[in-house]
Structures are given as structure tokens and as C-alpha cells.
């Protein structure tokens, strides 16, 4: 996850890029729906781009969401069997 825009607890955003590492995995257009459904519903997420092999999301930080919470939630979501073949780009 990029730390761009992450200025302090409760402000800024985290940019997340997930990439398909397995050509047999579902494409990004399908995967983004599952990924978003696995993240907390109250989070403000902006889909920056989606393609067959790449998903680019921006997750806003606020008083209840910090970088650590985002990192844990994204790792948990990407560990879901429905997202096999996808990983976070570092």
C-alpha cells in the first residue's frame, strides 16, 4: 500500500493496488465487487481504475480508520478463497 496522502492519524488516504498473479483467477471486473464487499461498508472507497489484471482503489482515512486498520482489512480480504490469484502490489 502506498503511503501517499497519509499525513496523520485520521486524515489522508491509502492507495491500494491489487494485481492478478494467476491467469486462471477471476478478472478485475469481477474481483473488485468481491473485494469491496469484504471491506467495511462504512469505509469511503474510490475506485480509481479496474482492468482484467489490476485494481486501483483509494481508501479515505478518518477518525475511525487508520492505515493499520486498512492494511489488516485488505490482507484479510485478499486471503479470502474467492480472491485466490490476486495480491497487493507493493
Amino acid at each position: 500500500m502506498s503511503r501517499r496522502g497519509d499525513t496523520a492519524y485520521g486524515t489522508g488516504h491509502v492507495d491500494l493496488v491489487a494485481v492478478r498473479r494467476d491467469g486462471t483467477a477471476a478478472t478485475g471486473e469481477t474481483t473488485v465487487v468481491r473485494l469491496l464487499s469484504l471491506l467495511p461498508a462504512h469505509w469511503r472507497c474510490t475506485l480509481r481504475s479496474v482492468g482484467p489484471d489490476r485494481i486501483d482503489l483509494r481508501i479515505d482515512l478518518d477518525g475511525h480508520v487508520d492505515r493499520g486498520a486498512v492494511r489488516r482489512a485488505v490482507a484479510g480480504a485478499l486471503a479470502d478463497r474467492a480472491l485466490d490469484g490476486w495480491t497487493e502490489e507493493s
Side-chain angles (χ1 to χ4, degrees):
M1 259 184 269
S2 170
R3 288 182 173 85
R4 289 177 285 143
D6 186 16
T7 57
Y9 179 84
T11 62
H13 60 268
V14 174
D15 290 328
L16 162 70
V17 175
V19 292
R20 184 167 66 155
R21 299 284 187 213
D22 179 348
T24 64
T27 64
E29 293 84 352
T30 301
T31 300
V32 71
V33 174
R34 179 69 176 163
L35 176 60
L36 289 171
S37 75
L38 292 169
L39 297 177
H42 66 278
W43 284 9
R44 184 174 168 178
C45 301
T46 304
L47 182 60
R48 297 177 53 173
S49 67
V50 62
D53 301 317
R54 183 181 173 93
I55 298 167
D56 187 355
L57 290 176
R58 176 167 284 172
I59 302 169
D60 290 343
L61 303 176
D62 64 26
H64 304 287
V65 181
D66 65 15
R67 188 177 348 110
V70 170
R71 183 174 293 122
R72 288 185 299 277
V74 168
L78 290 173
D80 188 278
R81 300 239 14 213
L83 298 181
D84 280 352
W86 283 85
T87 188
E88 183 180 352
E89 184 176 76
S90 47

